[in-house]
Amino acid sequence: MYKIIRNRLEQGYRTSPYPKKPIQLPASYRGLPLVNTAGSPELARRCAELCPQDAILAEERQIDLGRCTFCGRCAEVQDGEGDYFVRFSQRFELATASRQDLITSGTLPDLAGQAKEEITNLFGRSLQLRQVSAGGCNACEADINVLGTPFFDLSRFGIDFVASPRHADGIMVTGPISRNMQSALIDTYQAVPAPKVVIAAGCCAVSGGPFHGSEEIIDDLNNLVPVDLYIPGCPPHPLTTLHALLAYFKRRRS
C-alpha cells in the first residue's frame, strides 16, 4: 500500500486536461489542411496529379478529407515565388456529421451544432460502443485503444467500448470494409438494439482510403448502414476521435 501511494505521488497527475484546457500537439502534426484559394491554378493541378488518393479537387480548390491520408505531399509543392496550394494546420477537430462537409478548403461546421437533440438526450451521459475492424491495417484500432490509457481516460466521460453489440449503443467501424467482412458487419449492426448510432472512423471506412475503387471493398460505410458521424484521418489522431465523441454525443452544459 505504501509503495502504491509513493508511486502515485511520484507520478503525479498524468491525465490530459483536455477538453477543459487546450492541448498543443507537436509541430510535425498535420491537421486540418488550409487551401490557398488565391494560389496558382497550375499548382492546384500539380497537387491533384501528385495526390495518391485523388483527394484534391483542383478546380474547386478543395480537399476531400474523407479520402486524404495526410501524407503531406501536396504541401511540398510550391513555385519559386513562394506560392503554394495548401498548408496543414495543427487543428485536430476534423469530424463532421455529413460526408459532404469533409470536402473543404479549410473550414468545417461546428460539430456540436450538428448534434441531434435526441442523440445527446439518449447518449449524453453514457455511451457504449462496439468497435468493428472491417479489414483494416490496425492503425485506427491502435489509436482507438490509446483512448483507454490513463492519459486520455475515455471512460471518465461515460464512454466505453464493449465486447458485445447487444450491450452497445452503436458501432465504430474501421477499415476498408472488405467483401468478406460485409455480412459480419451487418450482423453486428443488427445486433445493436435500437436506437443506435454508427461511426465511420478513418479514411478507409469513410471512402475506401487507399483501396477506393476496388471491387473487393465497400467504398463508403454509408452504402451498407446509415452513418451518423465521420471521423477522417489515416489513422485519426486520438484527440480527433475524442473531440468527435465529446462534441457530437455529450450534452452541453450551461
Side-chain angles (χ1 to χ4, degrees):
M1 176 62 72
Y2 290 115
K3 289 183 178 179
I4 295 174
I5 295 174
R6 184 180 68 181
N7 182 262
R8 177 67 177 84
L9 292 173
E10 290 175 350
Q11 291 290 325
Y13 187 78
R14 293 303 181 95
T15 303
S16 166
Y18 180 84
K20 290 185 176 181
K21 295 181 180 179
I23 189 167
Q24 186 69 33
L25 293 176
S28 58
Y29 171 74
R30 297 190 189 106
L32 179 67
L34 305 176
V35 175
N36 179 16
T37 55
S40 163
E42 177 58 29
L43 280 180
R45 286 190 288 269
R46 283 171 55 190
C47 288
E49 294 171 359
L50 186 66
C51 180
Q53 294 298 110
D54 297 326
I56 294 176
L57 289 71
E59 299 303 320
E60 294 83 357
R61 307 290 182 87
Q62 293 178 321
I63 293 180
D64 185 350
L65 299 183
R67 284 192 175 182
C68 181
T69 60
F70 295 78
C71 69
R73 296 181 67 183
C74 55
E76 299 173 357
V77 177
Q78 57 183 355
D79 62 16
E81 298 179 356
D83 191 13
Y84 66 93
F85 172 67
V86 66
R87 291 286 184 266
F88 284 89
S89 71
Q90 287 192 298
R91 179 180 170 185
F92 55 80
E93 302 93 340
L94 304 175
T96 67
S98 166
R99 175 68 180 90
Q100 187 61 32
D101 286 335
L102 291 176
I103 302 175
T104 179
S105 296
T107 58
L108 293 173
D110 175 39
L111 183 58
Q114 292 183 310
K116 301 174 184 177
E117 185 176 355
E118 59 268 28
I119 287 181
T120 56
N121 287 339
L122 284 169
F123 309 124
R125 293 174 63 87
S126 175
L127 177 66
Q128 314 298 308
L129 296 171
R130 175 65 167 94
Q131 197 273 320
V132 181
S133 177
C137 68
N138 204 43
C140 290
E141 296 82 353
D143 274 9
I144 289 173
N145 288 342
V146 166
L147 292 173
T149 62
F151 181 77
F152 292 102
D153 193 15
L154 184 64
S155 60
R156 65 186 159 129
F157 302 107
I159 304 174
D160 291 289
F161 288 92
V162 296
S164 171
R166 292 177 176 83
H167 301 160
D169 301 309
I171 57 174
M172 177 179 285
V173 181
T174 58
I177 316 170
S178 66
R179 296 286 180 183
N180 290 338
M181 277 297 298
Q182 180 175 342
S183 60
L185 174 58
I186 293 175
D187 288 345
T188 303
Y189 171 76
Q190 292 176 341
V192 178
K196 50 193 168 186
V197 295
V198 177
I199 303 169
C203 67
C204 286
V206 174
S207 68
F211 311 98
H212 72 272
S214 169
E215 296 180 355
E216 299 304 318
I217 68 162
I218 306 299
D219 276 347
D220 185 339
L221 175 61
N222 199 60
N223 293 330
L224 285 181
V225 294
V227 175
D228 298 282
L229 181 61
Y230 291 94
I231 308 178
C234 186
H237 192 281
L239 281 172
T240 301
T241 302
L242 180 58
H243 166 264
L245 296 178
L246 296 181
Y248 192 71
F249 292 104
K250 305 306 289 184
R251 192 176 302 169
R252 286 171 289 179
R253 302 182 185 277
S254 57

